Amino acid sequence: MFEVIAAGGWLMLPIILCSVAVLAISAERYWSLNPGKIAPRHLLAQVWGWIKNNELNAERLKELKQSSPLGEILSAGLSNSRYGREIMKDSIEEAANKVIHDLERFIGVLGTIAAVTPLLGLLGTVFGMIEVFNAIMIKGSGNAGVLAGGISQALITTAAGLCVAIPAMILHRYFQRHIDTLVVTMEEEAIKLVDALHSDRRVDVKTKR
């Protein structure tokens, strides 16, 4: 294994570092983007219970904000609910933008790695072919060992770049889709709360998703 890496040349180092980054980011995002931690299932029903029982106060709002990203969005809306529907919605949107930004942490890095690592492999291919042509110019085409070394470097870096880029692209798409689903869920919960407080339409906040 080490011989193969060494044969790929110095460009194998950034490719290996990219592979480590993909593994680390994927593990961290998989743990952090747990739906139960982002948007707890019965949080809205709990909040509505506080409202109906007149238990919603500054301490409850602080607890709600610190409980989860969904709690942060709901607490922002509740803090400004007395100013009317539109102000409440604006507050929710501002909090949601911050939450979405946090959810997308490191996701862009995965996309960048997916785009860059094939280029690193291609660069290794170019360097390998340069070595081949230099060897041909200096020693002629009869030195099979030198020619094989250059071609080997070209193929190894190309394969390594693709082996990192393909999983990185798949994981980037997976996490992006997962975040979109979480955002839709939180939007639905926030809309239920706004409608329950500022609409004549009856809303059942206990409805399960």
Side-chain angles (χ1 to χ4, degrees):
M1 184 65 179
F2 291 107
E3 291 80 6
V4 173
I5 293 174
W10 65 270
L11 278 170
M12 289 296 291
L13 178 59
I15 292 175
I16 291 171
L17 292 177
C18 286
S19 69
V20 173
V22 170
L23 291 174
I25 291 171
S26 300
E28 189 276 336
R29 287 292 84 190
Y30 183 81
W31 174 263
S32 299
L33 296 177
N34 185 331
K37 296 164 66 175
I38 302 297
R41 198 170 188 79
H42 302 294
L43 182 61
L44 183 58
Q46 182 184 23
V47 171
W48 188 243
W50 291 345
I51 295 172
K52 290 198 299 183
N53 297 326
N54 293 320
E55 297 176 353
L56 190 64
N57 51 37
E59 184 178 348
R60 292 285 194 186
L61 285 174
K62 183 179 179 181
E63 176 187 342
L64 179 63
K65 183 177 181 179
Q66 296 175 347
S67 65
S68 64
L70 175 59
E72 184 176 349
I73 293 173
L74 297 182
S75 67
L78 290 170
S79 298
N80 296 279
S81 61
R82 62 184 179 276
Y83 300 115
R85 181 186 181 93
E86 293 305 316
I87 299 298
M88 184 178 181
K89 287 179 64 178
D90 290 342
S91 301
I92 287 174
E93 288 178 2
E94 290 178 5
N97 289 334
K98 177 183 179 300
V99 166
I100 293 171
H101 181 268
D102 292 340
L103 294 180
E104 292 179 340
R105 184 182 303 159
F106 305 130
I107 300 301
V109 177
L110 282 179
T112 301
I113 290 174
V116 167
T117 46
L119 297 179
L120 291 174
L122 179 60
L123 184 59
T125 299
V126 172
F127 285 159
M129 297 311 297
I130 288 173
E131 286 191 12
V132 170
F133 287 115
N134 283 338
I136 292 175
M137 289 175 59
I138 296 172
K139 300 180 180 181
S141 59
N143 193 331
V146 175
L147 298 180
I151 295 173
S152 175
Q153 177 181 343
L155 295 177
I156 289 172
T157 53
T158 301
L162 291 175
C163 286
V164 175
I166 293 171
M169 177 63 72
I170 293 172
L171 289 167
H172 177 264
R173 296 289 177 86
Y174 167 77
F175 284 121
Q176 195 64 62
R177 178 62 179 171
H178 187 53
I179 290 170
D180 290 343
T181 301
L182 291 172
V183 170
V184 169
T185 298
M186 290 188 289
E187 286 178 351
E188 290 175 349
E189 298 292 85
I191 289 171
K192 287 180 184 179
L193 182 62
V194 172
D195 287 341
L197 292 175
H198 294 287
S199 177
D200 294 332
R201 183 177 61 186
R202 183 178 178 181
V203 178
D204 183 8
V205 299
K206 294 183 180 180
T207 300
K208 295 182 178 179
R209 298 190 297 276

